[in-house]
């Protein structure tokens, strides 16, 4: 499903890619209700629903690209094994690998710190914050993934002005979105927290306070995510991985360990913002250092 999203964008069919994603999500929702609420299959039902929904997102696009009605430039053809190309592609995608692995490791560290400082309420508050955070951050990720093939195309075609144009416009968009999301998070913290933890006043107050501190990271998150994706699109997986690794594992790990020593529970909520500030310095430094090489100055 993930691979086909990039292929739909490259094939100039982003709307069809969105339809497939929505179809997979709706399948998951419907099957969750059917398997858990109706058939009473519990955790097994939830797992089965998730697996089948991913099949929808993976198999339907496969059928589309195999179909004779596929009117896009992308076709399945017989090819030989190109190990070097595949290896280079894997290396170029190392940043996305590091983001996923790092997120899991950092989440465990957050849970440890929150359990130590706030007990089970801390874990529950973090869970609620993460549900909302994922919806917000998905906008940044979606934009970065969606524009990466455009950057790659123009870079490969040596349309340097278009690469520069994409970079400048994307930074403006990410900056505006980041500030907007931070403001929305401040305003919506209370009603959103009520949806998840409104049943407990103490937990509710902790979640609202935590989310408002946590939300400052939205201001720079989009820029850092785009910078990492931008270098991936330029076929520089190393720099992309460094940016991704530093923001999700390096700086955030250090921040979530060190800040609670001085700020207690608030230090946990602010750790990700401190990490994004440090990663922002790294992102800007690489963008300045490589502007001549990639001609987007």
């Amino acid at each position: 499903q993930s691979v086909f999203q990039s292929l739909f964008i490259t094939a100039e069919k982003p709307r069809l890619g969105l339809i497939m994603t929505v179809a997979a999500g709706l399948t998951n929702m419907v099957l969750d209700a059917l398997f858990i609420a109706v058939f009473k299959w519990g955790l097994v039902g939830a797992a089965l629903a998730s697996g089948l929904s991913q099949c929808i997102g993976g198999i339907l696009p496969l059928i589309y690209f195999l179909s004779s009605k596929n009117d896009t430039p992308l076709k399945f053809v017989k090819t030989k094994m190109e190990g070097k190309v595949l290896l280079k592609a894997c290396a170029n995608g190392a940043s996305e690998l590091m983001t996923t692995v790092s997120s899991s490791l950092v989440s465990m560290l957050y849970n440890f710190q929150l359990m130590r400082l706030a007990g089970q309420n801390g874990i529950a508050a973090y869970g609620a914050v993460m549900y909302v955070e994922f919806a917000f951050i998905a906008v940044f990720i979606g934009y970065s993934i969606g524009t990466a093939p455009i950057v790659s195309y123009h870079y490969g075609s040596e349309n340097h002005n278009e690469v520069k144009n994409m970079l400048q416009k994307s930074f403006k968009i990410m900056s505006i979105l980041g500030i907007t999301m931070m403001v929305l998070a401040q305003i919506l913290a209370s009603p959103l927290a009520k949806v998840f933890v409104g049943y407990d006043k103490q937990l509710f107050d902790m979640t609202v306070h935590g989310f408002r501190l946590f939300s400052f990271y939205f201001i720079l998150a989009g820029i850092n995510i785009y910078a990492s994706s931008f270098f991936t699109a330029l076929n520089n997986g190393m720099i992309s991985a460094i940016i991704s690794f530093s923001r999700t594992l390096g700086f955030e790990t250090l921040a979530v360990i060190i800040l609670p020593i001085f700020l207690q529970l608030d230090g946990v909520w602010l750790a990700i913002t401190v990490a994004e500030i440090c990663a922002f310095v790294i992102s800007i430094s690489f963008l300045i250092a490589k502007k001549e090489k990639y001609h987007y100055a």
Side-chain angles (χ1 to χ4, degrees), residues 100-162:
T100 304
V101 173
S102 300
S103 296
S104 299
L105 294 175
V106 171
S107 292
M108 288 189 283
L109 184 57
Y110 267 93
N111 285 331
F112 174 79
Q113 289 285 61
L114 287 165
M115 178 63 79
R116 183 178 65 86
L117 295 168
Q120 293 182 358
N121 275 359
I123 303 294
Y126 179 66
V129 169
M130 285 299 99
Y131 275 120
V132 179
E133 182 262 353
F134 182 77
F136 277 62
I137 211 71
V139 176
F140 297 139
I141 297 173
Y143 179 86
S144 298
I145 293 174
T147 57
I150 300 173
V151 174
S152 293
Y153 174 82
H154 288 299
Y155 175 65
S157 301
E158 298 186 357
N159 298 328
H160 302 308
N161 286 333
E162 286 299 325

Side-chain angles (χ1 to χ4, degrees), residues 178-229:
I179 295 171
T180 302
M181 287 186 180
M182 185 275 293
V183 172
L184 284 175
Q186 297 293 323
I187 296 172
L188 299 175
S190 182
L192 288 173
K194 194 170 185 179
V195 172
F196 293 99
V197 295
Y199 56 86
D200 186 299
K201 179 67 166 59
Q202 183 180 3
L203 177 56
F204 170 78
D205 291 339
M206 180 188 297
T207 304
V208 171
H209 177 70
F211 187 49
R212 283 178 173 158
L213 292 178
F214 188 92
S215 66
F216 286 108
Y217 110 98
F218 290 134
I219 297 174
L220 294 177
I223 293 176
N224 289 328
I225 290 171
Y226 181 79
S228 177
S229 175

Side-chain angles (χ1 to χ4, degrees), residues 2 6 11 22 61 88 92 103 115 117 125 129 133 161 169 192 204 220 225 227 232 263 281 284 293:
S2 298
S6 295
V22 172
K88 192 171 184 179
N92 195 35
S103 296
M115 178 63 79
L117 295 168
V129 169
E133 182 262 353
N161 286 333
K169 286 186 176 179
L192 288 173
F204 170 78
L220 294 177
I225 290 171
T232 297
L263 301 175
V281 175
I284 296 300
K293 179 178 179 180

Side-chain angles (χ1 to χ4, degrees), residues 80-89:
K80 62 180 180 180
M81 182 69 176
E82 298 185 68
K84 288 184 178 180
V85 175
L86 291 174
L87 186 61
K88 192 171 184 179

Side-chain angles (χ1 to χ4, degrees), residues 9-138:
I9 295 168
T10 306
E12 301 178 352
K13 295 285 185 179
R15 184 176 298 179
L16 189 55
L18 175 62
I19 292 173
M20 295 295 180
T21 300
V22 172
L26 291 175
T27 300
N28 198 354
M29 293 168 61
V30 172
L31 292 182
D32 267 338
L34 180 64
F35 294 163
I36 298 174
V38 179
F39 294 165
K40 308 296 183 184
W41 289 351
L43 185 61
V44 172
L48 187 59
S50 297
L52 290 174
S53 70
Q54 293 299 307
C55 290
I56 295 295
I59 293 175
L60 291 183
L62 178 62
I63 294 173
Y64 172 80
F65 282 110
L66 286 171
S67 171
S68 59
K69 296 182 180 180
N70 170 18
D71 59 352
T72 74
L74 298 185
K75 311 288 183 182
F76 279 108
V77 297
K78 186 177 181 180
T79 184
K80 62 180 180 180
M81 182 69 176
E82 298 185 68
K84 288 184 178 180
V85 175
L86 291 174
L87 186 61
K88 192 171 184 179
C90 290
N92 195 35
S95 59
E96 286 71 25
L97 169 69
M98 286 308 306
T99 297
T100 304
V101 173
S102 300
S103 296
S104 299
L105 294 175
V106 171
S107 292
M108 288 189 283
L109 184 57
Y110 267 93
N111 285 331
F112 174 79
Q113 289 285 61
L114 287 165
M115 178 63 79
R116 183 178 65 86
L117 295 168
Q120 293 182 358
N121 275 359
I123 303 294
Y126 179 66
V129 169
M130 285 299 99
Y131 275 120
V132 179
E133 182 262 353
F134 182 77
F136 277 62
I137 211 71

